[in-house]
Amino acid sequence: MNLVLLGPPGAGKGTQAVRISKAFGLVHLSSGDILRAERKAKTELGAKAQDYMDRGVLVPDDLILSMMMDHIGRPEAANGFLLDGFPRTLAQAEGLDARLAEKDRKIETVINIEVDDAAVTRRLTGRSTCPKCGRIYHEEFSPPVKAGICDDCGEALTRRKDDSLEVVGQRLKTYHEETKPLIAYYQNGGLLKRVSGEGSVDDVTAAIQEACRR
Ligand code: ADP
Ligand code: ADP
Ligand code: ZN
């Protein structure tokens, strides 16, 4: 199965992607995580992406599309993949469909995780992540046992620079202008399934699994 998780920044895509990819045996491909890894490794792509990411606007479509097609083409993804944070523009979605069709592959299901702007703002401004294992926390909604420390590996948690209130505002604006049209795109293609993202993490996981079976 090839799956897309759609939704605003902070909807819980990363949190759910870990659980859903495990449940269905899919490779989890997060465009944001891949970009942050490229930056950390100081690659040419990482350097190109840096300024866009820090401002909360989108990295150019051609860079993202070739980066994601590279990962989709790897052997680990041959039995199915889950896309998280990609596609984010109509051009990316159309490019993805065209490139997959060349290989006789396609997206089978798109899950739109619905959370309103006020809730995603609270989620993003309280988010922290483990730099070592990638586990996602929230200071109020899913806090670690010991404040600031990862439960799994004892590493100090970090906050993303773009989770500041100011950049979050820009990211939401970008979402409404550029990503929201994808809902209609996938609806028209008959692939879209809507899930409320406002419940507990467990509730949302159950709703996504249910939607995949519908
Ligand atoms: P995205 O990948 O869509 O940006 P994340 O999975 O990183 O979203 O989640 C954003 C923040 O919201 C994190 O701090 C996470 O712990 C928290 N979160 C995720 N799902 C829920 C939920 N169902 N209820 C409350 N907080 C949540
Ligand atoms: P979020 O928590 O908003 O879901 P991500 O980790 O997915 O955040 O994205 C962080 C930043 O990386 C975005 O603000 C954007 O600059 C860049 N980015 C990630 N995915 C894409 C994409 N598909 N197209 C363009 N830019 C992207
Ligand atoms: Zn950890």
Side-chain angles (χ1 to χ4, degrees), residues 9-10 13 31-33 35-36 52-53 56-59 64 85-88 92 124 127 160 162 171:
K13 299 184 297 297
S31 51
D33 286 351
L35 286 169
R36 281 183 290 277
Y52 299 100
M53 295 174 76
V57 298
L58 297 180
V59 175
I64 294 289
F86 169 83
R88 239 174 166 101
Q92 289 179 17
L124 291 173
R127 171 164 71 179
R160 273 170 52 182
D162 62 342
R171 285 160 65 198

mmCIF file of all heavy atoms in Angstrom, residues 9-10 13 31-33 35-36 52-53 56-59 64 85-88 92 124 127 160 162 171, ligand 2:
data_model
loop_
_atom_site.group_PDB
_atom_site.id
_atom_site.type_symbol
_atom_site.label_atom_id
_atom_site.label_comp_id
_atom_site.label_asym_id
_atom_site.label_seq_id
_atom_site.Cartn_x
_atom_site.Cartn_y
_atom_site.Cartn_z
ATOM 1 N N PRO A 9 0.573 21.776 9.213
ATOM 2 C CA PRO A 9 1.698 21.551 10.119
ATOM 3 C C PRO A 9 1.162 21.420 11.541
ATOM 4 O O PRO A 9 0.289 22.182 11.942
ATOM 5 C CB PRO A 9 2.561 22.803 9.965
ATOM 6 C CG PRO A 9 1.710 23.814 9.282
ATOM 7 C CD PRO A 9 0.683 23.051 8.504
ATOM 8 N N GLY A 10 1.649 20.445 12.273
ATOM 9 C CA GLY A 10 1.203 20.258 13.652
ATOM 10 C C GLY A 10 -0.041 19.400 13.790
ATOM 11 O O GLY A 10 -0.525 19.160 14.897
ATOM 12 N N LYS A 13 0.912 14.493 11.866
ATOM 13 C CA LYS A 13 1.317 13.592 10.782
ATOM 14 C C LYS A 13 2.515 12.733 11.200
ATOM 15 O O LYS A 13 2.522 11.531 11.005
ATOM 16 C CB LYS A 13 1.667 14.385 9.516
ATOM 17 C CG LYS A 13 0.497 15.207 8.965
ATOM 18 C CD LYS A 13 0.859 15.905 7.661
ATOM 19 C CE LYS A 13 1.988 16.921 7.789
ATOM 20 N NZ LYS A 13 1.662 18.059 8.679
ATOM 21 N N SER A 31 9.228 14.351 4.332
ATOM 22 C CA SER A 31 10.046 15.317 3.577
ATOM 23 C C SER A 31 10.774 16.264 4.526
ATOM 24 O O SER A 31 11.933 16.601 4.297
ATOM 25 C CB SER A 31 9.184 16.093 2.586
ATOM 26 O OG SER A 31 8.042 16.637 3.227
ATOM 27 N N GLY A 32 10.116 16.660 5.620
ATOM 28 C CA GLY A 32 10.762 17.559 6.578
ATOM 29 C C GLY A 32 11.959 16.891 7.247
ATOM 30 O O GLY A 32 13.027 17.497 7.371
ATOM 31 N N ASP A 33 11.795 15.630 7.657
ATOM 32 C CA ASP A 33 12.901 14.910 8.297
ATOM 33 C C ASP A 33 14.057 14.709 7.315
ATOM 34 O O ASP A 33 15.229 14.835 7.695
ATOM 35 C CB ASP A 33 12.443 13.531 8.806
ATOM 36 C CG ASP A 33 11.574 13.634 10.059
ATOM 37 O OD1 ASP A 33 11.470 14.735 10.639
ATOM 38 O OD2 ASP A 33 10.991 12.603 10.456
ATOM 39 N N LEU A 35 14.794 16.592 4.747
ATOM 40 C CA LEU A 35 15.447 17.901 4.561
ATOM 41 C C LEU A 35 16.334 18.253 5.753
ATOM 42 O O LEU A 35 17.454 18.744 5.580
ATOM 43 C CB LEU A 35 14.399 19.003 4.362
ATOM 44 C CG LEU A 35 13.693 19.028 3.009
ATOM 45 C CD1 LEU A 35 12.500 19.998 3.048
ATOM 46 C CD2 LEU A 35 14.664 19.440 1.899
ATOM 47 N N ARG A 36 15.835 18.003 6.975
ATOM 48 C CA ARG A 36 16.660 18.316 8.164
ATOM 49 C C ARG A 36 17.913 17.444 8.200
ATOM 50 O O ARG A 36 18.984 17.914 8.588
ATOM 51 C CB ARG A 36 15.828 18.189 9.446
ATOM 52 C CG ARG A 36 14.921 19.426 9.689
ATOM 53 C CD ARG A 36 14.147 19.336 10.984
ATOM 54 N NE ARG A 36 13.119 18.319 10.922
ATOM 55 C CZ ARG A 36 11.900 18.507 10.395
ATOM 56 N NH1 ARG A 36 11.544 19.695 9.922
ATOM 57 N NH2 ARG A 36 11.029 17.516 10.342
ATOM 58 N N TYR A 52 14.634 28.746 3.121
ATOM 59 C CA TYR A 52 13.176 28.571 2.982
ATOM 60 C C TYR A 52 12.591 28.006 4.281
ATOM 61 O O TYR A 52 11.571 28.467 4.777
ATOM 62 C CB TYR A 52 12.843 27.601 1.841
ATOM 63 C CG TYR A 52 13.310 28.041 0.477
ATOM 64 C CD1 TYR A 52 14.474 27.521 -0.084
ATOM 65 C CD2 TYR A 52 12.571 28.963 -0.253
ATOM 66 C CE1 TYR A 52 14.891 27.906 -1.345
ATOM 67 C CE2 TYR A 52 12.980 29.358 -1.518
ATOM 68 C CZ TYR A 52 14.146 28.825 -2.054
ATOM 69 O OH TYR A 52 14.556 29.209 -3.300
ATOM 70 N N MET A 53 13.237 26.976 4.789
ATOM 71 C CA MET A 53 12.720 26.291 5.985
ATOM 72 C C MET A 53 12.695 27.230 7.192
ATOM 73 O O MET A 53 11.730 27.255 7.948
ATOM 74 C CB MET A 53 13.574 25.060 6.301
ATOM 75 C CG MET A 53 13.500 24.002 5.216
ATOM 76 S SD MET A 53 14.621 22.634 5.508
ATOM 77 C CE MET A 53 13.760 21.742 6.798
ATOM 78 N N GLY A 56 9.762 29.442 6.988
ATOM 79 C CA GLY A 56 8.439 28.809 7.023
ATOM 80 C C GLY A 56 7.735 28.829 5.677
ATOM 81 O O GLY A 56 6.519 28.714 5.607
ATOM 82 N N VAL A 57 8.519 28.990 4.596
ATOM 83 C CA VAL A 57 7.925 28.912 3.253
ATOM 84 C C VAL A 57 8.435 27.638 2.575
ATOM 85 O O VAL A 57 9.335 26.968 3.091
ATOM 86 C CB VAL A 57 8.251 30.168 2.398
ATOM 87 C CG1 VAL A 57 7.665 31.414 3.047
ATOM 88 C CG2 VAL A 57 9.745 30.322 2.181
ATOM 89 N N LEU A 58 7.858 27.298 1.435
ATOM 90 C CA LEU A 58 8.163 26.011 0.828
ATOM 91 C C LEU A 58 9.454 26.026 0.027
ATOM 92 O O LEU A 58 9.775 26.995 -0.667
ATOM 93 C CB LEU A 58 7.001 25.568 -0.080
ATOM 94 C CG LEU A 58 5.665 25.331 0.638
ATOM 95 C CD1 LEU A 58 4.592 24.908 -0.369
ATOM 96 C CD2 LEU A 58 5.812 24.288 1.736
ATOM 97 N N VAL A 59 10.172 24.913 0.116
ATOM 98 C CA VAL A 59 11.356 24.676 -0.704
ATOM 99 C C VAL A 59 10.849 24.429 -2.142
ATOM 100 O O VAL A 59 9.782 23.829 -2.317
ATOM 101 C CB VAL A 59 12.114 23.444 -0.135
ATOM 102 C CG1 VAL A 59 13.299 23.062 -1.004
ATOM 103 C CG2 VAL A 59 12.545 23.705 1.318
ATOM 104 N N ILE A 64 12.270 19.255 -4.198
ATOM 105 C CA ILE A 64 11.539 18.320 -3.336
ATOM 106 C C ILE A 64 11.135 17.074 -4.110
ATOM 107 O O ILE A 64 11.268 15.953 -3.628
ATOM 108 C CB ILE A 64 10.269 19.014 -2.784
ATOM 109 C CG1 ILE A 64 10.649 20.161 -1.853
ATOM 110 C CG2 ILE A 64 9.354 18.031 -2.081
ATOM 111 C CD1 ILE A 64 11.223 19.707 -0.535
ATOM 112 N N GLY A 85 4.178 14.950 4.833
ATOM 113 C CA GLY A 85 4.689 16.287 4.516
ATOM 114 C C GLY A 85 4.935 16.513 3.038
ATOM 115 O O GLY A 85 5.367 17.592 2.629
ATOM 116 N N PHE A 86 4.680 15.532 2.237
ATOM 117 C CA PHE A 86 4.827 15.586 0.780
ATOM 118 C C PHE A 86 3.733 14.728 0.177
ATOM 119 O O PHE A 86 3.493 13.647 0.702
ATOM 120 C CB PHE A 86 6.202 15.045 0.371
ATOM 121 C CG PHE A 86 6.348 14.822 -1.120
ATOM 122 C CD1 PHE A 86 6.686 15.873 -1.963
ATOM 123 C CD2 PHE A 86 6.109 13.564 -1.675
ATOM 124 C CE1 PHE A 86 6.804 15.666 -3.327
ATOM 125 C CE2 PHE A 86 6.219 13.358 -3.041
ATOM 126 C CZ PHE A 86 6.578 14.412 -3.865
ATOM 127 N N PRO A 87 3.063 15.166 -0.906
ATOM 128 C CA PRO A 87 3.190 16.460 -1.587
ATOM 129 C C PRO A 87 2.531 17.594 -0.805
ATOM 130 O O PRO A 87 1.665 17.367 0.028
ATOM 131 C CB PRO A 87 2.472 16.213 -2.914
ATOM 132 C CG PRO A 87 1.469 15.162 -2.615
ATOM 133 C CD PRO A 87 2.104 14.276 -1.570
ATOM 134 N N ARG A 88 2.958 18.818 -1.107
ATOM 135 C CA ARG A 88 2.475 19.993 -0.405
ATOM 136 C C ARG A 88 2.003 21.085 -1.357
ATOM 137 O O ARG A 88 1.548 22.123 -0.899
ATOM 138 C CB ARG A 88 3.625 20.558 0.407
ATOM 139 C CG ARG A 88 3.393 20.644 1.908
ATOM 140 C CD ARG A 88 4.713 21.078 2.484
ATOM 141 N NE ARG A 88 4.731 21.526 3.822
ATOM 142 C CZ ARG A 88 5.137 20.803 4.864
ATOM 143 N NH1 ARG A 88 5.444 19.532 4.712
ATOM 144 N NH2 ARG A 88 5.228 21.349 6.039
ATOM 145 N N GLN A 92 3.585 19.477 -6.975
ATOM 146 C CA GLN A 92 4.219 18.281 -6.400
ATOM 147 C C GLN A 92 3.316 17.060 -6.554
ATOM 148 O O GLN A 92 3.785 15.961 -6.872
ATOM 149 C CB GLN A 92 4.529 18.494 -4.915
ATOM 150 C CG GLN A 92 5.671 19.469 -4.655
ATOM 151 C CD GLN A 92 5.937 19.689 -3.171
ATOM 152 O OE1 GLN A 92 5.507 18.905 -2.320
ATOM 153 N NE2 GLN A 92 6.648 20.755 -2.846
ATOM 154 N N LEU A 124 2.232 23.015 17.912
ATOM 155 C CA LEU A 124 3.584 23.304 17.400
ATOM 156 C C LEU A 124 4.426 24.079 18.398
ATOM 157 O O LEU A 124 5.620 23.814 18.543
ATOM 158 C CB LEU A 124 3.498 24.083 16.077
ATOM 159 C CG LEU A 124 2.958 23.280 14.900
ATOM 160 C CD1 LEU A 124 2.750 24.184 13.692
ATOM 161 C CD2 LEU A 124 3.906 22.140 14.537
ATOM 162 N N ARG A 127 5.868 21.709 20.989
ATOM 163 C CA ARG A 127 6.513 20.476 20.507
ATOM 164 C C ARG A 127 8.004 20.426 20.825
ATOM 165 O O ARG A 127 8.694 21.433 20.759
ATOM 166 C CB ARG A 127 6.329 20.400 18.982
ATOM 167 C CG ARG A 127 7.137 19.282 18.328
ATOM 168 C CD ARG A 127 6.664 18.975 16.938
ATOM 169 N NE ARG A 127 6.966 20.009 15.954
ATOM 170 C CZ ARG A 127 6.636 19.907 14.666
ATOM 171 N NH1 ARG A 127 5.979 18.851 14.220
ATOM 172 N NH2 ARG A 127 6.936 20.881 13.839
ATOM 173 N N ARG A 160 12.294 22.816 17.580
ATOM 174 C CA ARG A 160 12.607 23.312 16.234
ATOM 175 C C ARG A 160 12.492 24.820 16.205
ATOM 176 O O ARG A 160 11.548 25.384 16.743
ATOM 177 C CB ARG A 160 11.654 22.669 15.218
ATOM 178 C CG ARG A 160 12.177 21.342 14.721
ATOM 179 C CD ARG A 160 11.156 20.595 13.931
ATOM 180 N NE ARG A 160 10.559 21.376 12.845
ATOM 181 C CZ ARG A 160 9.609 20.911 12.046
ATOM 182 N NH1 ARG A 160 9.153 19.682 12.225
ATOM 183 N NH2 ARG A 160 9.120 21.662 11.092
ATOM 184 N N ASP A 162 11.711 26.646 13.761
ATOM 185 C CA ASP A 162 10.532 27.104 13.018
ATOM 186 C C ASP A 162 9.225 26.835 13.771
ATOM 187 O O ASP A 162 8.148 27.103 13.257
ATOM 188 C CB ASP A 162 10.500 26.517 11.595
ATOM 189 C CG ASP A 162 10.423 24.998 11.559
ATOM 190 O OD1 ASP A 162 10.724 24.347 12.581
ATOM 191 O OD2 ASP A 162 10.069 24.452 10.499
ATOM 192 N N ARG A 171 3.863 29.497 8.408
ATOM 193 C CA ARG A 171 3.674 28.123 7.919
ATOM 194 C C ARG A 171 2.190 27.840 7.702
ATOM 195 O O ARG A 171 1.821 27.154 6.737
ATOM 196 C CB ARG A 171 4.302 27.124 8.884
ATOM 197 C CG ARG A 171 5.825 27.114 8.780
ATOM 198 C CD ARG A 171 6.478 26.519 10.007
ATOM 199 N NE ARG A 171 6.165 25.126 10.190
ATOM 200 C CZ ARG A 171 6.314 24.471 11.333
ATOM 201 N NH1 ARG A 171 6.767 25.103 12.394
ATOM 202 N NH2 ARG A 171 6.007 23.202 11.416
HETATM 203 P P1 ADP B 2 5.508 20.429 9.690
HETATM 204 O O1 ADP B 2 5.719 20.254 11.149
HETATM 205 O O2 ADP B 2 5.092 21.793 9.285
HETATM 206 O O3 ADP B 2 4.684 19.381 9.072
HETATM 207 P P2 ADP B 2 7.845 19.725 8.137
HETATM 208 O O4 ADP B 2 8.901 19.128 8.969
HETATM 209 O O5 ADP B 2 7.025 18.857 7.267
HETATM 210 O O6 ADP B 2 6.929 20.560 9.101
HETATM 211 O O7 ADP B 2 8.448 20.876 7.209
HETATM 212 C C1 ADP B 2 9.365 21.838 7.680
HETATM 213 C C2 ADP B 2 9.772 22.746 6.526
HETATM 214 O O8 ADP B 2 10.445 21.985 5.513
HETATM 215 C C3 ADP B 2 8.609 23.424 5.801
HETATM 216 O O9 ADP B 2 8.209 24.626 6.444
HETATM 217 C C4 ADP B 2 9.215 23.672 4.408
HETATM 218 O O10 ADP B 2 10.105 24.788 4.406
HETATM 219 C C5 ADP B 2 10.072 22.423 4.198
HETATM 220 N N1 ADP B 2 9.314 21.352 3.529
HETATM 221 C C6 ADP B 2 8.972 20.135 4.045
HETATM 222 N N2 ADP B 2 8.283 19.408 3.153
HETATM 223 C C7 ADP B 2 8.171 20.175 2.030
HETATM 224 C C8 ADP B 2 7.540 20.004 0.763
HETATM 225 N N3 ADP B 2 6.875 18.880 0.438
HETATM 226 N N4 ADP B 2 7.629 21.023 -0.130
HETATM 227 C C9 ADP B 2 8.292 22.149 0.152
HETATM 228 N N5 ADP B 2 8.884 22.392 1.326
HETATM 229 C C10 ADP B 2 8.837 21.414 2.268
#
